[in-house]
Amino acid sequence: MRKLYDQMLENIRNNNQILEDAKRELMETMLQASKNKANILITGATGCGKSSTINALFGIEKAEVGTGVDPQTMSIAKYDYNGITLWDSPGLGDGPEADKRHADGIIKKLTERDADGNLLIDVVLVILDGSSRDLGTSFELIEKVIAPCIGKNEKRLIVAINQADIAMKGKHWDSENHKPDETLAAFLKEKEKSVHDRILAGCGISVDPISYSAGYKEEGQPQEPSYNMAKLLYYIIDSIPEEKRIATYLEANADQNVWASNDAEDYGRKIQQKLGWKHTLKSTAEGATWGAAIGTVIPVIGTAAGAVVGGIIGFVGSFFD
């Protein structure tokens, strides 16, 4: 985040289309935004691809900075970065004793409050293994552990189905464009509906699952091509409080290839619309348009229909009109 944050400040300073009082306000807003860190709890069964998902989204090798000292939370690892804190918890399926320990840890973390009395965890991301037909333990985790903690606050739950590329044993995957063909896309849509219906029936929560592929990531090696990561990031940005979105966005992976392959929507533009600059800035100096003041300093990620827009590039366009 720091490198991208510094680049944005430099862009503001050097942009002679922005009046000086607008520059000061933008820089003050950037400073404040950088202090608002999102807390994201990530859970899922062994082999679902939590590590590769984190690497794809944020371009970081996990570096553990602490775990809970309470026996109830000691299985939850904490990864602290400039703009986000990730809490990595095992899912169920490791045996009765371990499952109880994991469940107790997740419950305690989801009900924990920060120094201001607000719930610590902004959103919990449950990752399912898209190549598996047996998702019973994951549904049990959602229905018996997570749902009672979040109630009907569906914004706090994201369900993501990883390994879309091998959902049909590797068949119908367009490896050249890193996306499903029509047959696999239809299969994934049906799987998403099935997961939605099962969760709704089990605990009364309506969520729209996301099928994606984080790409295989071997330690020290480049990330394999991914699919629908911009969509997943959009869901995360949309779920966390507005004041925490910019800091989270600045942690996004700068590798344009991660965001290149998505389904039909332009999630880069949709993410931009969620960043909340118009509501964050107190005012804009006369003569400083939104396009000049904002569009040239916020990086753009994500693509439409697989066309690469990529990492840190310029103006988004009509959103700021």
Side-chain angles (χ1 to χ4, degrees):
M1 172 181 172
R2 181 53 51 185
K3 181 178 179 182
L4 186 51
Y5 176 80
D6 290 343
Q7 178 179 341
M8 291 175 70
L9 289 179
E10 189 67 18
N11 287 346
I12 294 170
R13 290 191 193 100
N14 295 335
N15 193 320
N16 53 20
Q17 292 180 281
I18 308 175
L19 299 182
E20 289 303 316
D21 53 351
K23 285 186 180 183
R24 284 193 296 273
E25 189 177 349
L26 278 166
M27 293 175 74
E28 288 173 5
T29 300
M30 284 288 297
L31 178 61
Q32 186 59 42
S34 70
K35 297 177 180 178
N36 293 318
K37 297 176 65 168
N39 281 267
I40 303 170
L41 175 63
I42 302 176
T43 187
T46 301
C48 70
K50 286 187 292 180
S51 295
S52 58
T53 300
I54 292 170
N55 286 321
L57 283 170
F58 303 114
I60 45 182
E61 298 282 355
K62 292 194 299 186
E64 188 172 336
V65 297
T67 55
V69 293
D70 187 319
Q72 284 188 312
T73 60
M74 64 184 301
S75 62
I76 298 181
K78 177 183 179 182
Y79 304 100
D80 204 16
Y81 307 102
N82 289 316
I84 53 172
T85 299
L86 303 178
W87 303 87
D88 184 357
S89 172
L92 306 185
D94 293 333
E97 186 176 336
D99 283 358
K100 184 179 187 309
R101 184 171 66 251
H102 300 334
D104 288 345
I106 291 170
I107 291 169
K108 187 165 186 177
K109 190 57 64 179
L110 283 176
T111 54
E112 183 177 340
R113 294 185 179 270
D114 62 20
D116 297 322
N118 300 313
L119 288 166
L120 176 68
I121 300 299
D122 296 299
V123 63
V124 54
L125 170 61
V126 180
I127 300 177
L128 309 182
D129 181 356
S131 67
S132 174
R133 301 182 67 177
D134 182 12
L135 298 176
T137 54
S138 295
F139 290 131
E140 183 179 357
L141 172 67
I142 294 169
E143 294 167 10
K144 296 184 178 180
V145 179
I146 296 173
C149 294
I150 67 172
K152 298 301 181 182
N153 187 355
E154 296 160 353
K155 278 281 192 180
R156 290 188 77 201
L157 175 62
I158 298 173
V159 178
I161 307 171
N162 192 14
Q163 302 179 14
D165 52 332
I166 55 174
M168 295 183 74
K169 299 182 178 180
K171 297 178 181 178
H172 300 287
W173 180 256
D174 182 350
S175 56
E176 182 177 349
N177 296 302
H178 314 300
K179 61 194 317 177
D181 69 7
E182 290 184 3
T183 299
L184 179 54
F187 177 86
L188 293 171
K189 284 296 181 186
E190 185 59 35
K191 195 176 191 75
E192 290 170 5
K193 183 179 184 303
S194 175
V195 170
H196 167 276
D197 291 350
R198 171 66 186 269
I199 295 172
L200 183 62
C203 56
I205 296 177
S206 178
V207 295
D208 294 321
I210 309 146
S211 294
Y212 75 104
S213 174
Y216 179 68
K217 176 69 171 72
E218 188 173 340
E219 188 173 353
Q221 298 298 316
Q223 185 95 20
E224 292 292 324
S226 54
Y227 166 69
N228 252 359
M229 296 309 301
K231 183 175 185 177
L232 181 55
L233 181 61
Y234 167 73
Y235 272 62
I236 293 171
I237 294 288
D238 184 42
S239 296
I240 61 178
E242 185 174 292
E243 66 272 13
K244 299 182 179 183
R245 291 173 180 173
I246 295 172
T248 303
Y249 185 68
L250 291 177
E251 290 290 351
N253 196 335
D255 181 359
Q256 65 180 24
N257 294 315
V258 169
W259 316 109
S261 179
N262 295 280
D263 60 25
E265 295 197 59
D266 186 344
Y267 294 102
R269 182 180 296 274
K270 293 184 72 171
I271 290 170
Q272 291 279 330
Q273 293 171 339
K274 292 292 181 180
L275 292 185
W277 283 92
K278 287 187 178 181
H279 305 292
T280 304
L281 292 173
K282 297 184 291 294
S283 63
T284 304
E286 186 178 357
T289 66
W290 284 106
I294 308 296
T296 57
V297 299
I298 299 180
V300 181
I301 67 169
T303 63
V308 177
V309 175
I312 305 168
I313 62 176
F315 179 46
V316 184
S318 61
F319 165 59
F320 296 106
D321 292 343

